[in-house]
Amino acid sequence: MVTIRAESLGVALGRRAVLANVDADLAPGRLIGVIGPNGAGKSTLVRALLGLVPLSGGGVRVDGQPVARLPRAALARRIAYLPQGQTLHWPLTVERLVALGRLPHLAPLSRIGEADVAAIDRAIEQADIGHLRGRVATELSGGERARVLLARALAVEAPALIADEPLAALDPGHQLEVMALLRRQADAGALVVAVLHDLSLAAGHCDRLLLLHHGRLVADGPPDRVLTADRLADVYGVRAWIGEVEGRRLVVPISHHG
């Protein structure tokens, strides 16, 4: 299990504060959605949690240790990362691309073993891309590539997963499948953090939401407490319908709140 703690976290780009005074304790067994308008600092936050951007204040601890002091390979074994909008340059088959997820577990110049092959097979099955296994990844559609890259992250079989916009380029059916997959990962004990734009999917699947606005954490808690009509008007500038259908909370923007 992995825990991540952000303490008074700050990130600056030049003189502009991208994040300021963000505090959050992220515990295993939870699906945590990071939401907010464009430019709110969502991607910067998840990159900061991984030690991928310099901090202007505060710090991040993974299992009680400063993230900056952890060897990158060790961190990669603890936290799988699915970045936003990756571009594929090499004409690898899908199977070989997913196999790259096993690199944190391999010594230099070593070959994959039986345990690695089994992990790759499980990831391909979980992401429902078995039919793409022999295809060249650079020839896939955007939605297909998104699921293949998710499978690569799953192949790490880390106790934590951070996914930056994992639903981008996916049709509604596959969006629901990916959210269900992330939900299962959390239910199995993993810490799962996902940057999301669809408020209904966030509300219906996440245990907890972190709402960012202008680089600050303005709300943190269960979806029903975070996604209120007043807060949606203040943060997103929209009037929205909020309700439940088949036991799932839905948030549907209706009009711009002028």
Side-chain angles (χ1 to χ4, degrees):
M1 295 189 295
V2 168
T3 60
I4 304 174
R5 178 177 175 80
E7 302 168 317
S8 301
L9 185 65
V11 175
L13 185 60
R15 296 184 178 181
R16 183 173 69 89
V18 182
L19 292 175
N21 298 316
V22 174
D23 291 289
D25 283 311
L26 310 180
R30 295 289 184 270
L31 173 51
I32 301 168
V34 179
I35 61 173
N38 293 338
K42 301 182 295 296
S43 294
T44 301
L45 174 60
V46 297
R47 286 173 57 80
L49 295 178
L50 291 159
L52 297 177
V53 294
L55 305 182
S56 59
V60 176
R61 292 181 177 271
V62 175
D63 294 335
Q65 303 176 68
V67 69
R69 296 183 187 174
L70 289 171
R72 298 310 300 180
L75 185 64
R77 289 191 293 271
R78 292 192 201 184
I79 307 174
Y81 176 43
L82 176 62
Q84 177 188 156
Q86 295 184 81
T87 301
L88 302 179
H89 298 287
W90 297 98
L92 299 175
T93 65
V94 164
E95 183 173 10
R96 292 189 66 186
L97 181 58
V98 175
L100 294 177
R102 299 303 297 169
L103 287 177
H105 298 276
L106 300 177
L109 303 179
S110 64
R111 296 185 177 183
I112 63 173
E114 291 183 7
D116 302 303
V117 172
I120 294 163
D121 288 341
R122 282 190 292 269
I124 288 174
E125 180 179 359
Q126 289 173 328
D128 190 26
I129 58 169
H131 60 294
L132 302 174
R133 192 172 194 132
R135 295 273 302 278
V136 175
T138 51
E139 298 175 358
L140 300 177
S141 70
E144 290 169 335
R145 284 197 304 272
R147 288 156 57 209
V148 169
L149 292 169
L150 173 60
R152 184 180 67 180
L154 294 173
V156 182
E157 296 198 332
L161 169 64
I162 293 180
D164 192 353
E165 297 194 29
L167 307 183
L170 297 181
D171 60 60
H174 284 115
Q175 287 183 340
L176 289 169
E177 288 181 8
V178 168
M179 290 305 299
L181 170 58
L182 298 179
R183 178 73 263 166
R184 289 194 298 271
Q185 296 286 312
D187 290 342
L191 165 59
V192 182
V193 180
V195 174
L196 302 169
H197 280 288
D198 189 304
L199 298 181
S200 283
L201 291 176
H205 292 82
C206 293
D207 301 295
R208 174 182 169 192
L209 297 177
L210 306 179
L211 175 60
L212 294 172
H213 188 39
H214 296 314
R216 294 184 177 272
L217 184 62
V218 296
D220 175 2
D224 61 337
R225 295 184 184 177
V226 171
L227 296 174
T228 64
D230 287 344
R231 193 167 281 128
L232 290 170
D234 290 341
V235 173
Y236 286 94
V238 297
R239 186 170 63 89
W241 177 85
I242 303 173
E244 287 193 4
V245 175
E246 297 182 356
R248 288 198 182 275
R249 193 169 182 82
L250 295 181
V251 178
V252 182
I254 297 173
S255 64
H256 186 267
H257 184 76

